[in-house]
Amino acid sequence: KMEVAGAHTQQAITLNPSLAEALFQAAKIKMHTGQIESALRLLRSAIAADRNYSVKAAADGDFQKHPDRLNGLLDECRSQARDAAERAIQIAHSEIETMKVWHAEEAAQVEYDEAIKNPRSAQESFSHQTFYGYLDAQRYASIAAESAKRAAEAQKNRLEQLAVATLDEALDLQNRIVEKAREHSPSALAEAQEKVKAAGDCAVPGHSYEECAHKVNRACSALSSLREVESLSLDRAEKC
């Protein structure tokens, strides 16, 4: 009977190596037949697939026959979960600091709020000092880190698009006013064209908030100068 049950569970595991119930049943069979090391390896895999099997194993008669070995495994799982949670929380805080540097709330308020909120939940879960608490802390921290990444990337993309759109607008305006400006305000035009050139020269993807903001500011300055040239040219043309 055990051999048949073992064959069935092995077949299920072969079809789906992360099927927690099959892994747990295989572990029970191994534990029942005295193959403790194999049983514990399978149980570890079952718990990795579904944490609820840690509780199920603690209440199971086959595993209760070897409480020291079972408790040792559960302690290892808890310790590993704690270490992983600590790393996840550290990563989340790092990503959040990067997000803040990018002033990402300007582009992605929802993701920004998610990133700020979840570390608090992670710390609260971590403070329970339980296996489930550490796993929950990992989950909250991972959500925070991913949200922070998305928010920072959204802000970077927004600034890049703003710089490109502003420079395109400046170039279009330059083409429209250049003839009249050469006649009525050549020095102001030359100064504005230098700003347009400078904005174009730095129109490469920025790797930091400062670089992206600098690109936007240069493009805005060029556009503003061209608008002043346009206004000045119109005024002088009317006086002529």
Side-chain angles (χ1 to χ4, degrees), residues 162-164 166-167 170 191-203 210-226:
L162 180 58
V164 170
T166 304
L167 181 57
E191 182 179 337
Q193 286 176 321
E194 282 298 316
K195 291 185 178 181
V196 172
K197 183 178 182 303
D201 288 343
C202 71
E210 289 75 15
E211 290 175 345
C212 288
H214 179 64
K215 287 167 58 178
V216 172
N217 290 336
R218 283 206 163 186
C220 289
S221 176
L223 180 58
S224 177
S225 294
L226 285 168

Side-chain angles (χ1 to χ4, degrees), residues 174 177-178 181-182 185-194 226 229:
Q174 178 180 255
I177 69 171
V178 64
R182 280 175 180 163
S185 49
S187 60
L189 174 64
E191 182 179 337
Q193 286 176 321
E194 282 298 316
L226 285 168
V229 171

Side-chain angles (χ1 to χ4, degrees), residues 11-223:
Q11 184 179 21
I13 293 169
T14 300
L15 292 172
N16 185 354
S18 61
L19 186 60
E21 179 63 22
L23 290 164
F24 180 73
Q25 292 301 326
K28 273 176 58 66
I29 292 170
K30 295 289 187 182
M31 188 65 81
H32 186 79
T33 56
Q35 301 175 68
I36 298 174
E37 295 302 326
S38 296
L40 293 176
R41 283 196 297 271
L42 287 163
L43 178 58
R44 184 188 294 276
S45 297
I47 293 171
D50 183 344
R51 65 185 184 177
N52 292 320
Y53 282 93
S54 62
V55 176
K56 196 168 182 178
D60 185 87
D62 287 316
F63 291 103
Q64 287 177 344
K65 294 175 184 176
H66 302 278
D68 291 343
R69 301 301 304 276
L70 175 61
N71 290 334
L73 173 64
L74 296 179
D75 285 343
E76 284 180 22
C77 290
R78 183 166 51 250
S79 177
Q80 290 169 358
R82 183 192 63 229
D83 293 344
E86 288 177 340
R87 290 193 298 271
I89 290 171
Q90 290 173 354
I91 291 170
H93 284 308
S94 176
E95 294 293 346
I96 289 168
E97 287 305 310
T98 299
M99 177 188 73
K100 289 180 177 179
V101 167
W102 278 93
H103 302 280
E105 69 278 11
E106 297 173 358
Q109 187 67 56
V110 172
E111 288 80 1
Y112 185 93
D113 291 343
E114 278 292 308
I116 295 298
K117 175 184 68 177
N118 277 286
R120 292 193 290 269
S121 299
Q123 292 290 358
E124 181 180 353
S125 296
F126 190 92
S127 69
H128 297 159
Q129 298 183 0
T130 63
F131 179 52
Y132 277 31
Y134 294 138
L135 292 179
D136 286 340
Q138 288 180 54
R139 180 169 60 85
Y140 287 125
S142 295
I143 292 171
E146 288 303 315
S147 296
K149 282 182 181 179
R150 289 197 303 271
E153 189 64 25
Q155 174 69 329
K156 180 179 179 180
N157 291 338
R158 186 186 78 87
L159 292 174
E160 291 286 353
Q161 291 167 7
L162 180 58
V164 170
T166 304
L167 181 57
D168 286 346
E169 187 178 354
L171 290 168
D172 181 65
L173 179 57
Q174 178 180 255
N175 291 335
R176 287 191 283 108
I177 69 171
V178 64
E179 293 301 328
K180 186 175 288 187
R182 280 175 180 163
E183 180 181 353
H184 298 288
S185 49
S187 60
L189 174 64
E191 182 179 337
Q193 286 176 321
E194 282 298 316
K195 291 185 178 181
V196 172
K197 183 178 182 303
D201 288 343
C202 71
V204 294
H207 299 291
S208 69
Y209 174 79
E210 289 75 15
E211 290 175 345
C212 288
H214 179 64
K215 287 167 58 178
V216 172
N217 290 336
R218 283 206 163 186
C220 289
S221 176
L223 180 58

